Amino acid sequence: QVQLQESGPGLVKPSQTLSLTCTVSGGSISSGDYYWSWIRQPPGKGLEWIGYIYYSGSTYYNPSLKSRVTISVDTSKNQFSLKLSSVTAADTAVYYCARDRVGGYGMDVWGQGTTVTVSS
Amino acid sequence: DIQMTQSPSTLSASVGDRVTITCRASQSISSWLAWYQQKPGKAPKLLIYKASSLESGVPSRFSGSGSGTEFTLTISSLQPDDFATYYCQQYGGPFGQGTKVEIK
């Protein structure tokens, strides 16, 4: 049973870089059958797709966040990571990582989510 | 950029009701659409992929249809466990704003 777990600081100062890691257990991140995604949800609001990475390192980002987002993968640690630069209060959200099945089969495994607050 | 618009934003219904949620894409996305259910404080759960394929383990009262720019999620007989917020998503792209299904 594949499980995903987000980790990282819960508090980030404005203008700094938010950094989160998602650890994959029970399966290999190097499987060619999946993209590895980040999604966020501001308090009381809807879901926003941030982007995904393939095990090879290929990435695809939400155009509205593309200038500030970097997603990377470390296959040796079975982890993938999110960096979001120049954060503001608007980046305060629950951040989820998820496994996205290649070919349009949807995000079938999600982490529990981690809350990140941007505040001085 | 493609935008996804759901309607209604909120839906009040009773146990046993047939419920339909609509999702419209600003341009054609073929059948590249998924539906998710989210309960408060929990991660979303995949219900439907490729517009009409039921995810394994999801009750058959859930169904999806549509292609191109207009899609629907139908719950044939609403159960107590179904009161939640539902989101559509273009595959590898934006979510709709969500539809909250409330108890009438």
Side-chain angles (χ1 to χ4, degrees):
Chain A
Q1 180 99 3
V2 173
Q3 293 184 312
L4 279 61
Q5 178 68 58
E6 306 89 350
S7 60
L11 181 64
V12 181
K13 289 182 168 51
S15 80
Q16 293 191 342
T17 296
L18 177 160
S19 296
L20 296 174
T21 295
C22 183
T23 300
V24 180
S25 59
S28 174
I29 202 169
S30 298
S31 168
D33 293 332
Y34 308 107
Y35 295 112
W36 303 94
S37 297
W38 287 99
I39 303 95
R40 70 180 182 178
Q41 186 168 36
K45 296 188 177 181
L47 300 168
E48 181 176 32
W49 180 77
I50 299 172
Y52 63 56
I53 191 164
Y54 195 53
Y55 78 98
S56 62
S58 298
T59 54
Y60 186 61
Y61 300 139
N62 181 333
S64 68
L65 297 170
K66 186 176 182 179
S67 63
R68 298 195 293 130
V69 171
T70 302
I71 299 176
S72 58
V73 64
D74 187 337
T75 54
S76 66
K77 294 183 179 179
N78 230 30
Q79 295 175 334
F80 63 107
S81 298
L82 169 70
K83 291 189 185 299
L84 182 66
S85 64
S86 305
V87 297
T88 69
D91 296 308
T92 293
V94 175
Y95 285 77
Y96 295 100
C97 59
R99 186 179 80 171
D100 194 346
R101 298 177 300 195
V102 170
Y105 291 87
M107 292 183 280
D108 65 332
V109 180
W110 293 65
Q112 65 185 23
T114 188
T115 299
V116 178
T117 301
V118 178
S119 175
S120 56
Chain B
D1 297 347
I2 294 175
Q3 296 179 36
M4 308 299 293
T5 304
Q6 286 181 235
S7 60
S9 296
T10 305
L11 188 160
S12 297
S14 301
V15 172
D17 284 353
R18 181 181 181 88
V19 166
T20 298
I21 299 168
T22 298
C23 176
R24 289 186 173 87
S26 59
Q27 62 191 74
S28 177
I29 58 169
S30 186
S31 295
W32 300 116
L33 185 100
W35 289 97
Y36 297 88
Q37 176 194 67
Q38 188 181 34
K39 296 181 179 178
K42 299 294 187 181
K45 173 187 175 182
L46 177 66
L47 300 175
I48 302 285
Y49 60 91
K50 286 190 175 181
S52 60
S53 295
L54 189 68
E55 174 67 359
S56 176
V58 174
S60 59
R61 62 181 180 272
F62 290 93
S63 64
S65 65
S67 66
T69 61
E70 187 153 337
F71 304 86
T72 58
L73 173 70
T74 299
I75 308 172
S76 60
S77 178
L78 198 65
Q79 298 302 301
D81 191 49
D82 301 337
F83 291 98
T85 300
Y86 294 83
Y87 294 92
C88 63
Q89 189 215 7
Q90 176 207 2
Y91 182 68
F95 290 87
Q97 79 277 20
T99 296
K100 185 175 183 179
V101 178
E102 298 181 328
I103 300 173
K104 190 172 183 178

